[in-house]
């Protein structure tokens, strides 16, 4: 696993949060993307070398809707950049982590992604992501 690729924050209203984070960083999101398979609308901000992803649920069954219902808005996941997501999934399974996506799936922002269950990572949802070249 390499650097933190981004931090994901669950929000109730993406439009309002886009305005808020635009004020915070002094720059608008560089990308907005709907991921229909996950039931989320996302936006991405760069601040220096750091990337923040905002996630809004598009329906009640979305994992983001469930997260907000349980915990409220806030940090939802930490994503780490990996060179080879398939071998990293194998390695982490071997170490006893619960991998939620044994086959990586297409995520937002041109990435292949897989998640580790927070039960196996001290309550923090971990996303592995590999840039699609
Ligand atoms: Zn993410």
């Amino acid at each position: 696993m390499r650097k933190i690729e981004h931090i994901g924050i669950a929000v109730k209203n993406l439009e309002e949060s886009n305005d808020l984070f635009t004020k915070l960083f002094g720059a608008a999101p560089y990308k907005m993307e709907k991921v229909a398979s996950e039931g989320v609308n996302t936006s991405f901000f760069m601040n220096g070398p750091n990337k923040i992803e905002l996630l809004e649920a598009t329906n009640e069954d979305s994992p983001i809707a469930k997260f907000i219902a349980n915990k409220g808005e806030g940090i939802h996941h930490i994503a780490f950049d990996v060179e080879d997501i398939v071998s990293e999934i194998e390695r982490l399974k071997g170490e006893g982590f619960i991998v939620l996506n044994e086959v990586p799936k297409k995520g937002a922002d041109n990435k292949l992604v897989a998640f580790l269950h927070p039960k196996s990572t001290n309550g923090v949802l971990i996303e592995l992501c590999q840039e699609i070249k």
Side-chain angles (χ1 to χ4, degrees), residues 83-102:
E83 173 102 46
D84 177 350
I85 196 166
V86 173
S87 69
E88 199 63 3
I89 287 169
E90 282 311 307
R91 184 182 75 81
L92 293 168
K93 269 167 57 184
E95 295 285 3
F97 292 97
I98 304 167
V99 179
L100 294 171
N101 317 95
E102 303 229 346

Side-chain angles (χ1 to χ4, degrees), residues 6 53 77 79 127:
H6 62 271
E53 174 185 27
H77 64 271
E127 177 182 359

Side-chain angles (χ1 to χ4, degrees), residues 34 44 50 66 84 100 106-107 114 123:
K34 182 177 188 144
F44 288 90
N50 300 309
K66 289 175 185 158
D84 177 350
L100 294 171
K106 175 97 174 56

Side-chain angles (χ1 to χ4, degrees), residues 40-110:
V40 293
N41 286 320
T42 64
S43 61
F44 288 90
F45 292 83
M46 283 307 295
N47 184 52
N50 300 309
K51 187 190 290 183
I52 298 292
E53 174 185 27
L54 302 183
L55 305 113
E56 170 197 65
T58 56
N59 63 68
E60 284 174 14
D61 297 324
S62 162
I64 295 300
K66 289 175 185 158
F67 178 88
I68 289 176
N70 288 334
K71 298 188 172 172
E73 293 180 297
I75 293 181
H76 176 259
H77 64 271
I78 300 178
F80 290 92
D81 180 45
V82 298
E83 173 102 46
D84 177 350
I85 196 166
V86 173
S87 69
E88 199 63 3
I89 287 169
E90 282 311 307
R91 184 182 75 81
L92 293 168
K93 269 167 57 184
E95 295 285 3
F97 292 97
I98 304 167
V99 179
L100 294 171
N101 317 95
E102 303 229 346
V103 177
K105 55 186 181 172
K106 175 97 174 56
D109 205 24
N110 197 40

